[in-house]
Amino acid sequence: MTSDLGFICARCGAHHPELPMNYTADAPAVWRAEFADSEGCLLSSDQCVIHARHHFVKGVIEIPVIGSDTVFSWGVWVSLSPENFSRAADLWQTPGREAENPYFGWLTTELRLYPGTTLNLKTHVHTRPVGERPFVELERTDHPLAVEQRTGITMDRVREIAAALLHPTGEGRR
């Protein structure tokens, strides 16, 4: 018995061998390549600092997939106050850190699939056990991303996202 985890793409009509269930941003939207060599700037896989003034952590927006036990996720960056960033960094390798209260932050990843910007949506960053990225909870608003996080999405929506990201400029359209 074989299990086909792929999908037929609505944009190009081809069979793609895998339906991705997560996508991630490599850096906050405000990061620039020239910052890499600048004093007071750091970009790692989990944390970012720009000019020792702006602080970010990478987390995950999880969206339940309706009718399944599957979760779709966006790997995103959230800005934190210097105090909250320092606190999160101090606890980064501390067992039990998940008991920490959530940190307020601003979403700093642009997800262009949504109408209107996703930049600066209000969030609460929930620390998880060591080795797990924080859970990013969007403030309850009418923004489509926040609505999807609250209500879930269908597998058709997951396929729609995959098609849009696999063909970002519309290539492959029939």
Side-chain angles (χ1 to χ4, degrees):
M1 181 171 159
T2 62
S3 176
D4 182 8
L5 300 177
F7 71 106
I8 303 295
C9 183
R11 292 215 177 176
C12 70
H15 179 269
H16 292 284
E18 183 179 350
L19 178 59
M21 294 303 289
N22 57 64
Y23 298 90
T24 191
D26 294 331
V30 294
W31 178 262
R32 301 289 172 258
E34 59 267 20
F35 294 161
D37 297 324
S38 297
E39 189 173 327
C41 293
L42 159 84
L43 176 63
S44 73
S45 60
D46 297 302
Q47 299 174 342
C48 179
V49 178
I50 299 176
H51 302 304
R53 289 190 312 259
H54 306 284
H55 304 83
F56 309 87
V57 294
K58 191 167 190 178
V60 181
I61 295 173
E62 294 179 343
I63 302 173
V65 178
I66 298 168
S68 75
D69 295 331
T70 306
V71 173
F72 177 86
S73 64
W74 294 107
V76 297
W77 291 87
V78 176
S79 67
L80 297 179
S81 69
E83 298 79 19
N84 284 342
F85 180 83
S86 179
R87 176 78 178 156
D90 288 347
L91 296 174
W92 205 256
Q93 295 297 324
T94 304
R97 69 184 190 163
E98 62 274 16
E100 186 77 357
N101 287 330
Y103 305 117
F104 175 80
W106 299 94
L107 188 61
T108 55
T109 298
E110 182 69 82
L111 301 173
R112 298 189 189 282
L113 295 176
Y114 293 92
T117 185
T118 56
L119 292 176
N120 296 318
L121 292 176
K122 293 179 181 179
T123 70
H124 295 281
V125 179
H126 299 264
T127 305
R128 291 182 169 168
V130 172
E132 292 183 38
R133 285 220 164 95
F135 170 71
V136 177
E137 176 188 15
L138 295 167
E139 184 177 79
R140 193 175 186 88
T141 67
D142 290 336
H143 190 283
L145 178 59
V147 172
E148 285 184 350
Q149 187 178 40
R150 283 193 314 272
T151 63
I153 59 176
T154 64
M155 284 303 282
D156 283 343
R157 174 69 172 139
V158 174
R159 287 187 281 274
E160 176 184 306
I161 291 168
L165 294 176
L166 288 169
H167 307 292
T169 59
E171 79 257 12
R173 290 184 188 220
R174 294 196 245 174

